């Protein structure tokens, strides 16, 4: 090599430029550090890829047998080896939807209070408390669900029927464990996500927007409803999608209160089953490759569902935080 | 000149009422949310804490139907599972975070971040299936290793993101200062950047562990459960959250009581770690 | 009227404007002017810090009043007490009275006050809605205009009063954010005018605008003052001299002097006023 050997400014004894061979860099440790950390970062790609592969591979049997009709069949008969995902998709969607119906008004309402009305320190303190709800393990929610919520709903049955019984979704026999109970438990579990993110997004709305509305004679509520919330709507919607993604994947609390019955009944009083719950309950009892394959295929379906919802959520939240205004 | 508007808006009273009602409702929503947490804490403390005995921590479970006994094996089992999880999740996650923070910026990093978020969003039961297919199936038995791996995989994405966040928060001036003194990039990272971020990283690990400590679903068919001690790493093991689940859905009154005690212990541990971690973080980041 | 100049001479252009004002304001003798807004011994506190000390003054109907003074002198703070916008700051407290047509606004319904006393802010802040919806928002929530066609008329009228109609009439349903800075500020003026306020408060409305946009808004002020009493806070003395009939000079939370603009600039009675307008500090 005829390249003149330049010397680095910081250390005259250390050659720089082209003369720094791989081995020289290796000695300083930079290259080693780079490679090791790169490998660790790459491990995420490896793990995720392997996960998808294993899900796909191990569900080959039912996939080949049922094809896409797996998603539309409502029969779940392990004995006859007839498997359809519809009852579980139904249960998953219904309980998540109910969770949102309860959780969105409660969550956005609380977020409004915490962001617009409460003094800064009280807001921070209450938010801290509410965020702790997210740290409570699912099985604890299940415990409270079985022993407190379900009995409470059972004793409230007459009232519920009196007030809501005119709607078909609140009719039929009620034993406590039901889609309703699961939906209520889920709504509590997703509250902290909706509240925390919505509060942040609302706080980020520029104050001059509020001033403009107030100066026109708008009341505090009108300002919040007409101006602030629309401005923050991307972020709030994102938080809702995030909450939905969590609700879809919740296992323990749901399986402890939902009744675990793979039937599609058009009433919230009826017991039901979700994808996560059936996997949790039946996986260790699954005899035969078709049966366990079907459960793994359900896992694949759940995986796909949550990926999509999470992706939408992320787009909305990062857009909401950065831009805000359409 | 334009016509003067009425001196008092016709709808003012209605708007005032709506204003007060709606704002009060938002306060009620907050009360419900915060109150639920207080209720959960209170109930578990009273119901679970009151029936907590020393036996819980020292005795093994008794045969089905017999009263008494404890969950000593589940406590040890959870500890072992968390150890494996930590050994799997923390190095990979932390180093990955170092990569993204210190060497990142390329399309590869974007891809890694995207996949990390993706993995983070995967329901824990699906992670359980993954660990099952990768370890339990080939070995043809449940094991502590499989359970620990499932939890470890769950720890990776959070460890990456939180490490990256805290490393990024270290000011560039520190890095530049170190390198201007002649230290290599690797040395700067090791001796300057990481120590500067250590509080955040450690609390991140604490929070991560607290989160997976409460996970039940991925253990149901990996570590499965065990009525006795589980020596080594190759056998199925009891774990605290799984015991709570099994006891809660059982028909035995005594097991229900034990489930409450276990629930209290688990919640107390998880919340304590959470609160301590957050206090440490807020102390470090708030201006003095 | 002889011009007494014992300090730095004003620029020729400013002199011309002053004479113009002199002529116009000769007509507005104390007998013909009426006080639209008046502050009576107003004190204002941020927590324990007193930002305004015993302000008493009058804003005359169909005239333009300017508040001038160095940064932090309280002129904006005082402006905001006139439509109770200062109440949005937590821990703030007002003592004294602010009368609008003889009625104390501090005891009236706040949304009514703000409908009658409008405000335009330093930086334009249109809502992320269409141009039409921005202007229509005020009348809609206040219920002052009912019916779709009446609303359309009101929007057009307001945009015309703000000298913006011709520029936006073909794109009323496009986003307000597509307008230039000067246009957005005029949109904010149109939005404020749409509820037919009796007084319009302008808080340094041109500080973020270029000279051409500024000139357009100053012309606007001339055209508006007959239908709407105007109060303008400005850090630009020349602007006050150009547009205002009356000027108040603020310093450290006190109203040092309040008089015809011509007097403030040519014949100030207080030493501090003279020092400020002649540029000895600022």
């Amino acid at each position: 090599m005829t390249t003149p050997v330049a010397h680095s400014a910081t250390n005259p004894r250390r050659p720089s430029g082209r003369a720094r061979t791989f081995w020289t860099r290796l000695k300083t440790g930079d290259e080693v550090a780079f490679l090791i950390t790169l490998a660790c970062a790459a491990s995420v790609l490896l793990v995720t890829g392997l996960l998808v592969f294993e899900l796909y591979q191990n569900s080959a049997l039912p996939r080949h047998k049922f094809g896409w009709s797996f998603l539309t069949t409502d029969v779940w008969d392990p004995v006859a080896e007839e498997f359809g995902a519809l009852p579980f998709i139904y249960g998953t969607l219904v309980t998540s939807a109910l969770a949102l119906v309860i959780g969105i008004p409660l969550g956005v309402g609380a977020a409004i209070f915490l962001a617009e009305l409460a003094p800064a320190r009280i807001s921070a303190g209450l938010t801290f408390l509410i965020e702790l709800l997210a740290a409570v393990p699912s099985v604890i929610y299940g415990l409270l669900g079985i022993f407190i919520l379900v009995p409470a709903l059972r004793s409230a049955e007459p009232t519920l029927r009196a007030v809501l019984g005119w709607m078909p979704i609140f009719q039929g026999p009620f034993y406590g464990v039901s889609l309703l109970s699961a939906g209520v438990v889920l709504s509590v579990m997703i509250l902290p996500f909706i509240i925390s993110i919505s509060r942040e997004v609302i706080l980020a709305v520029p104050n001059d927007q509020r001033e403009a509305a107030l100066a026109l004679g708008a009341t505090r509520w009108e300002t919040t409803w007409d101006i602030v919330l629309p401005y923050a709507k991307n972020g709030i919607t994102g938080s809702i999608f995030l909450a939905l993604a969590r609700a879809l994947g919740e296992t323990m609390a749901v399986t402890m209160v939902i009744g675990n019955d793979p039937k599609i009944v058009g009433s919230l009083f009826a017991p039901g089953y979700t994808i996560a719950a059936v996997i949790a309950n039946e996986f260790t009892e699954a005899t035969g490759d078709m049966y366990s394959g079907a459960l793994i295929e359900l896992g694949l379906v759940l995986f796909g569902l949550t990926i999509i919802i999470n992706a939408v959520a992320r787009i909305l939240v990062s857009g909401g935080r950065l831009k805000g205004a359409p | 000149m334009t016509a003067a508007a009425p001196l008092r808006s016709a709808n003012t009273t209605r708007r005032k009422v709506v204003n007060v009602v709606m704002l009060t409702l938002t306060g009620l929503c907050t009360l419900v949310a915060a109150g639920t947490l207080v209720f959960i804490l209170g109930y578990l403390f009273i119901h679970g804490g009151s029936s907590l005995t020393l036996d819980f921590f020292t005795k093994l479970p008794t045969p089905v139907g017999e009263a008494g006994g404890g969950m000593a094996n589940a406590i040890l089992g959870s500890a072992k599972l968390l150890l494996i999880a930590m050994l799997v999740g923390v190095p990979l996650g932390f180093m990955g975070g170092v990569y993204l923070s210190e060497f990142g910026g390329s399309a590869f990093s974007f891809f890694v971040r995207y996949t990390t978020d993706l993995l983070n969003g995967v329901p824990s039961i699906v992670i359980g299936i993954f660990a099952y297919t990768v370890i339990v199936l080939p070995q043809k038995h449940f094991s502590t290793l499989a359970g620990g791996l499932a939890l470890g995989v769950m720890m990776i994405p959070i460890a990456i993101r939180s490490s990256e966040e805290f490393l990024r928060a270290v000011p560039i001036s520190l890095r530049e200062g170190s390198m201007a003194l002649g230290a290599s990039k690797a040395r700067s990272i090791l001796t300057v950047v990481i120590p500067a971020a250590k509080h955040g990283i450690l609390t991140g690990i604490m929070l991560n562990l607290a989160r997976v400590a409460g996970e039940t679903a991925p253990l149901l068919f990996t570590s499965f459960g065990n009525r006795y001690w589980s020596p080594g790493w190759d056998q199925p093991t009891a774990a605290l959250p799984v015991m709570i689940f099994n006891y809660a859905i059982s028909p035995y009154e005594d097991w229900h009581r034990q489930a409450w005690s276990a629930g209290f212990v688990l919640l107390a541990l998880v919340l304590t770690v959470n609160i301590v971690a957050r206090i440490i973080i807020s102390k470090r980041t708030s201006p003095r | 009227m002889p011009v007494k100049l014992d300090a730095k001479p004003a620029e020729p252009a400013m002199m011309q404007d002053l004479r113009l004002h002199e002529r116009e304001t000769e007509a507005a003798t104390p007998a013909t002017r009426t006080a639209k807004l008046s502050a009576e011994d107003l004190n204002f506190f941020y927590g324990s810090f007193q930002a305004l000390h015993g302000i008493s003054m009058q804003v005359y109907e169909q005239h333009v009043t300017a508040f001038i003074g160095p940064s932090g002198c309280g002129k904006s703070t005082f402006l905001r007490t006139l439509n109770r916008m200062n109440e949005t700051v937590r821990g703030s407290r007002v003592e004294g009275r602010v009368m609008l047509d003889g009625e104390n606004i501090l005891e009236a319904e706040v949304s009514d006050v703000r409908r009658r006393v409008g405000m335009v802010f330093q930086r334009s802040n249109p809502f992320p809605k269409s141009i039409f919806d921005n202007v229509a928002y005020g009348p809609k929530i206040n219920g002052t205009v009912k019916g779709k066609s009446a609303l359309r008329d009101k929007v057009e009228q307001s945009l015309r009063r703000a000298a913006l109609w011709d520029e936006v009439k073909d794109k009323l349903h496009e986003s307000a954010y597509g307008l230039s800075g000067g246009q957005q500020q005029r949109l904010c003026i149109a939005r404020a005018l749409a509820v037919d306020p009796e007084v319009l408060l302008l808080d340094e409305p041109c500080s973020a605008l270029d000279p051409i946009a500024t000139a357009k808004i100053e012309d606007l002020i001339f055209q508006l003052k007959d239908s709407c009493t105007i109060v303008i806070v400005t850090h630009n003395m020349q602007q006050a001299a150009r547009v205002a009939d009356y000027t108040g000079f603020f310093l450290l939370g006190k109203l040092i002097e309040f008089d015809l603009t011509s007097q403030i600039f040519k014949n100030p009675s207080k030493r501090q006023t003279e020092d400020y307008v002649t540029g000895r500090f600022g």
Side-chain angles (χ1 to χ4, degrees):
Chain A
M1 262 198 317
T2 53
T3 334
V5 178
H7 293 283
S8 77
T10 50
N11 184 352
R13 290 180 66 227
R14 199 172 85 207
S16 63
R18 272 221 208 102
R20 290 186 69 201
T21 64
F22 176 78
W23 295 109
T24 320
R25 286 204 299 271
L26 197 59
K27 252 203 280 184
T28 62
D30 276 1
E31 200 74 11
V32 174
F34 179 74
L35 288 174
I36 291 180
T37 57
L38 178 76
C40 293
S43 72
V44 179
L45 302 175
L46 185 71
V47 166
T48 311
L50 192 62
L51 187 145
V52 178
F53 173 75
E54 291 287 346
L55 283 177
Y56 195 73
Q57 183 82 322
N58 286 285
S59 60
L61 225 56
R63 271 189 302 106
H64 290 142
K65 181 172 177 192
F66 303 109
W68 288 103
S69 72
F70 182 71
L71 296 174
T72 52
T73 315
D74 70 346
V75 175
W76 185 262
D77 187 351
V79 175
E81 288 208 332
E82 287 298 317
F83 298 107
L86 200 60
F88 313 105
I89 296 178
Y90 170 77
T92 306
L93 291 178
V94 167
T95 51
S96 301
L98 181 60
L100 287 181
V101 165
I102 300 174
I104 293 175
L106 267 181
V108 176
I112 292 174
F113 179 82
L114 291 169
E116 298 280 310
L117 296 172
R121 295 183 103 197
I122 295 183
S123 174
L126 283 174
T127 309
F128 178 72
L129 272 184
I130 290 171
E131 283 176 351
L132 282 181
L133 276 173
V136 176
S138 181
V139 73
I140 306 274
Y141 278 110
L143 206 57
L144 293 157
I146 293 186
F147 296 119
I148 301 181
L149 181 71
V150 168
L153 282 176
R154 285 186 79 167
S155 45
E157 187 188 344
T159 324
L160 286 172
R161 278 196 202 279
V163 174
L164 302 162
W166 54 275
M167 287 189 271
I169 55 169
F170 287 104
Q171 288 169 8
F174 183 53
Y175 304 109
V177 287
S178 56
L179 293 168
L180 178 66
S181 311
V184 171
V185 173
L186 279 177
S187 69
V188 177
M189 296 176 78
I190 62 171
L191 262 186
F193 298 99
I194 298 181
I195 294 178
S196 173
I197 297 177
S198 297
R199 172 182 170 269
E200 262 191 57
V201 184
I202 292 175
L203 281 174
V205 173
N207 213 30
D208 64 4
Q209 291 287 305
R210 295 182 182 85
E211 291 201 320
L214 289 169
L216 287 168
T219 60
R220 294 288 301 270
W221 173 252
E222 284 166 350
T223 306
T224 307
W225 185 255
D226 296 332
I227 307 297
V228 175
L229 285 185
Y231 200 99
K233 73 172 186 288
N234 276 358
I236 295 178
T237 313
S239 79
I240 292 172
F241 272 87
L242 220 84
L244 176 63
R246 296 283 312 209
L248 292 173
E250 263 312 323
T251 316
M252 304 318 296
V254 171
T255 191
M256 287 159 95
V257 302
I258 199 174
N260 300 334
D261 191 4
K263 282 198 202 60
I264 300 180
V265 178
S267 167
L268 290 175
F269 280 169
Y273 226 155
T274 64
I275 298 177
V278 70
I279 298 175
N281 278 323
E282 301 192 3
F283 204 83
T284 49
E285 328 252 302
T287 49
D289 290 336
M290 183 62 78
Y291 194 177
S292 51
L295 287 168
I296 294 179
E297 191 178 353
L298 277 175
L300 190 62
V301 171
L302 185 61
F303 176 78
L305 210 57
T306 48
I307 297 301
I308 296 172
I309 306 283
N310 265 311
V312 174
R314 230 171 307 124
I315 295 172
L316 287 170
V317 172
S318 60
R321 273 177 181 153
L322 291 175
K323 292 192 318 248
Chain B
M1 181 123 90
T2 57
L7 283 179
R8 196 176 169 81
S9 254
N11 57 8
T12 304
T13 323
R14 178 185 62 82
R15 292 164 64 200
K16 241 181 110 173
V17 168
V18 168
N19 190 43
V20 172
V21 166
M22 294 312 282
L23 295 179
T24 311
L25 279 179
T26 63
L28 282 174
C29 292
T30 312
L31 212 66
V32 167
T36 307
L37 178 82
V38 175
F39 175 78
I40 292 176
L41 286 178
Y43 200 90
L44 268 163
F45 181 69
I46 295 171
H47 210 80
S50 59
S51 49
L52 195 61
T53 61
L54 198 60
D55 278 1
F56 177 85
F57 296 96
T58 54
K59 290 232 165 71
L60 283 175
T62 52
V64 170
E66 246 181 65
M71 291 197 190
N73 59 341
I75 295 174
L76 182 65
S78 277
K80 286 165 74 173
L81 287 166
L82 287 176
L83 185 65
I84 299 180
M86 206 165 67
L87 289 173
V88 168
V90 171
L92 285 177
F94 174 66
M95 298 287 211
V98 169
Y99 174 80
L100 287 179
S101 163
E102 308 299 312
F103 302 104
S106 56
F108 177 72
S109 324
F110 171 78
F111 201 44
V112 168
R113 265 195 211 97
Y114 181 79
T115 312
T116 303
D117 281 341
L118 199 120
L119 189 59
N120 196 26
V122 176
S124 58
I125 189 111
V126 175
I127 306 269
I129 296 179
F130 171 62
Y132 174 84
T133 57
V134 166
I135 299 195
V136 178
L137 264 186
Q139 288 195 338
K140 301 205 197 310
H141 62 82
F142 299 118
S143 61
T144 312
L145 187 66
L149 181 80
L151 296 182
V153 167
M154 289 185 69
M155 284 185 78
I156 294 177
I158 301 183
I160 289 188
R161 288 307 235 152
S162 91
S163 303
E164 186 197 352
E165 191 188 314
F166 284 107
L167 287 168
R168 266 187 193 283
V170 174
I172 298 183
S173 50
L174 253 77
R175 288 169 234 266
E176 289 181 338
S178 166
M179 282 167 57
L181 289 169
S184 69
K185 186 158 185 178
R187 202 180 172 81
S188 302
I189 297 174
L190 208 58
T191 57
V192 174
V193 181
I194 292 177
K198 70 174 185 284
H199 279 94
I201 294 176
L202 281 171
T203 51
I205 295 176
M206 278 164 66
L207 284 170
N208 208 352
L209 279 171
R211 177 179 169 250
V212 297
E215 285 290 339
T216 319
L219 300 178
L220 292 173
F221 31 84
T222 48
S223 57
F224 187 65
N226 199 325
R227 307 288 303 161
Y228 307 101
W229 299 109
S230 164
W233 309 94
D234 230 27
Q235 294 186 35
T237 182
L240 203 55
V242 180
M243 288 288 259
I244 297 174
F245 173 63
N246 286 325
Y247 276 28
I249 60 175
S250 77
Y252 310 115
E253 196 59 49
D254 190 59
W255 279 16
H256 293 174
R257 181 192 58 78
Q258 289 196 43
W260 281 112
S261 301
F264 171 68
V265 170
L266 181 62
L267 188 65
L269 273 167
V270 167
L271 284 185
T272 307
V273 171
N274 262 281
I275 293 174
V276 167
R278 277 154 154 271
I279 291 178
I280 294 179
I281 292 178
S282 69
K283 276 225 177 92
R284 286 276 137 189
T285 52
S286 65
R288 283 167 187 273
Chain C
M1 209 186 237
V3 174
K4 221 177 16 161
L5 290 172
D6 52 354
K8 267 203 280 198
E11 293 110 66
M14 189 164 134
M15 280 294 302
Q16 207 174 16
D17 286 340
L18 284 176
R19 283 208 201 94
L20 187 69
H21 263 280
E22 245 170 281
R23 278 197 292 275
E24 290 190 324
T25 53
E26 299 273 37
T29 60
T32 59
R33 69 187 186 196
T34 46
K36 184 71 181 167
L37 268 175
S38 62
E40 296 172 15
D41 198 28
L42 195 75
N43 291 296
F44 181 74
F45 302 84
Y46 284 122
S48 53
F49 169 70
Q50 183 161 7
L52 295 174
H53 303 258
I55 313 273
S56 295
M57 54 91 65
Q58 269 124 339
V59 172
Y60 298 109
E61 201 163 3
Q62 294 183 287
H63 286 86
V64 178
T65 306
F67 297 159
I68 60 171
S71 286
C73 64
K75 52 192 194 292
S76 276
T77 310
F78 178 62
L79 188 79
R80 293 166 80 99
T81 63
L82 298 179
N83 70 345
R84 293 174 63 178
M85 280 304 284
N86 50 17
E87 287 171 12
T88 60
V89 177
R90 218 177 265 281
S92 63
R93 200 175 83 243
V94 179
E95 282 171 15
R97 310 203 300 174
V98 178
M99 313 298 282
L100 172 67
D101 285 343
E103 195 190 318
N104 188 358
I105 66 168
L106 298 171
E107 287 159 11
E109 186 54 51
V110 69
S111 51
D112 279 334
V113 171
R114 291 184 184 148
R115 189 185 47 78
R116 297 173 61 189
V117 182
M119 184 172 248
V120 173
F121 300 87
Q122 195 165 352
R123 275 184 220 302
S124 59
N125 49 9
F127 303 130
K129 298 171 188 275
S130 68
I131 294 170
F132 184 90
D133 287 333
N134 261 280
V135 182
Y137 181 68
K140 258 204 262 179
I141 53 160
N142 282 295
T144 50
V145 173
K146 293 188 174 53
K148 272 197 165 150
S149 66
L151 197 61
R152 270 200 299 269
D153 291 339
K154 176 58 74 181
V155 169
E156 178 177 342
Q157 177 197 62
S158 310
L159 285 167
R160 281 188 190 281
R161 285 177 79 193
L164 190 61
W165 174 251
D166 288 325
E167 290 165 64
V168 302
K169 63 180 183 232
D170 297 323
K171 47 180 180 172
L172 287 177
H173 295 284
E174 283 177 28
S175 167
Y177 287 16
L179 297 175
S180 73
Q183 288 173 321
Q184 283 190 16
Q185 192 64 306
R186 274 180 284 145
L187 177 65
C188 292
I189 294 175
R191 179 176 67 182
L193 291 173
V195 292
D196 294 316
E198 294 149 51
V199 182
L200 192 60
L201 307 174
L202 305 169
D203 190 355
E204 301 198 40
C206 304
S207 62
L209 303 177
D210 62 77
I212 296 174
T214 301
K216 283 195 182 147
I217 290 187
E218 288 180 9
D219 287 340
L220 200 49
I221 293 175
F222 272 122
Q223 292 157 32
L224 283 174
K225 73 175 183 182
D226 280 337
S227 52
C228 187
T229 307
I230 299 202
V231 184
I232 177 169
V233 162
T234 178
H235 64 269
N236 181 340
M237 279 188 283
Q238 284 81 1
Q239 179 169 75
R242 283 193 295 271
V243 304
D245 303 313
Y246 292 89
T247 299
F249 170 62
F250 286 78
L251 186 62
L252 297 175
K254 296 192 185 68
L255 178 62
I256 305 293
E257 194 172 340
F258 179 79
D259 208 335
L260 288 169
T261 306
S262 47
Q263 287 297 95
I264 293 281
F265 282 98
K266 293 186 306 174
N267 196 11
S269 46
K270 296 270 168 34
R271 178 86 212 173
Q272 293 139 309
T273 316
E274 192 184 336
D275 285 346
Y276 181 73
V277 301
T278 54
R280 284 218 186 87
F281 74 96

